Amino acid sequence: MQTFTDTEGRLWNIKGTLGAFERVKTSCGVDMLDLPTTQSCLKQISDVFTLGRVLYVMCEEQANYRGLTPEQFADGFNADVLHAASEALIEEVIFFCRKDLRPALQMAFDKARAADRKMAETLQARIGSIGTEMDAAMDRYLTSTDSATSLPESSASTQASGRSAASSGPAKGSKRKSGTTPVAS
């Protein structure tokens, strides 16, 4: 028997029996006993809602004893609890399988767990390096913004009339008529 604890601190037991796995197959359409062959159950329980229904069926007697509805049972789950519960469920399926298949199934499951941990470590390292890159980019931006916002003491482009060469509109004394737009040739 495998166990997991939900977010409310309640301990749940998963006991893999032929009756329990039949109830899961009937209620959820998931054949947990195909693990040694097609492993389609793993794909099905990768959907968190399907996994939640499977876990409820596996723990239904305990939930009823505690007076919990399926919704109240599900409210005791977050991603960490789902992960722990799915591992407990798969361990229980492995234990249910024939003795001669267990070592190979356990080895495959352990390798999958190791790959999952490695992926999480790689992701964590990558997030750390992205954070470092973002900090450096922000420092460069702030440094460039500080120098871009300082005003020069005088500007050589300011004409005697007080107008800059880049300002729009005709200069004083221009022959352009008011209200007309110049036409490009």
Side-chain angles (χ1 to χ4, degrees):
M1 177 170 47
Q2 300 293 317
T3 62
F4 68 92
T5 304
D6 69 11
T7 60
E8 302 299 318
R10 297 177 292 226
L11 183 68
W12 298 95
N13 302 313
I14 297 178
K15 186 175 181 185
T17 65
L18 185 60
F21 293 133
E22 182 180 25
R23 285 189 296 278
V24 165
K25 187 175 181 180
T26 302
S27 298
C28 306
V30 178
D31 185 0
M32 293 304 300
L33 299 180
D34 81 349
L35 183 66
T37 55
T38 66
Q39 300 176 354
S40 69
C41 66
L42 294 179
K43 185 174 182 179
Q44 290 176 295
I45 65 171
S46 68
D47 173 77
V48 295
F49 302 109
T50 301
L51 175 60
R53 287 190 299 274
V54 167
L55 291 168
Y56 180 77
V57 171
M58 294 294 292
C59 300
E60 189 169 11
E61 287 180 20
Q62 298 164 72
N64 289 339
Y65 178 78
R66 292 175 175 165
L68 299 177
T69 64
E71 293 79 18
Q72 291 168 323
F73 176 80
D75 285 342
F77 286 80
N78 62 17
D80 291 331
V81 172
L82 280 168
H83 182 74
S86 69
E87 286 196 347
L89 176 63
I90 293 169
E91 288 276 3
E92 193 61 19
V93 172
I94 291 170
F95 184 76
F96 180 85
C97 291
R98 290 188 345 232
K99 197 183 309 184
D100 60 331
L101 295 175
R102 285 184 208 148
L105 291 170
Q106 189 64 55
M107 184 175 72
F109 183 56
D110 291 344
K111 287 199 180 286
R113 270 198 264 195
D116 190 41
R117 279 192 302 275
K118 180 69 174 169
M119 184 177 67
E121 290 167 4
T122 302
L123 181 60
Q124 187 64 34
R126 184 66 185 131
I127 288 171
S129 73
I130 289 171
T132 303
E133 291 171 19
M134 289 177 69
D135 289 343
M138 184 58 79
D139 289 343
R140 285 191 305 275
Y141 172 76
L142 291 174
T143 302
S144 71
T145 303
D146 288 343
S147 63
T149 57
S150 47
L151 297 173
E153 289 183 24
S154 66
S155 174
S157 66
T158 304
Q159 299 174 354
S161 68
R163 303 175 67 92
S164 74
S167 66
S168 61
K172 194 172 187 177
S174 170
K175 299 220 180 199
R176 196 168 127 204
K177 293 181 185 173
S178 175
T180 62
T181 304
V183 178
S185 6

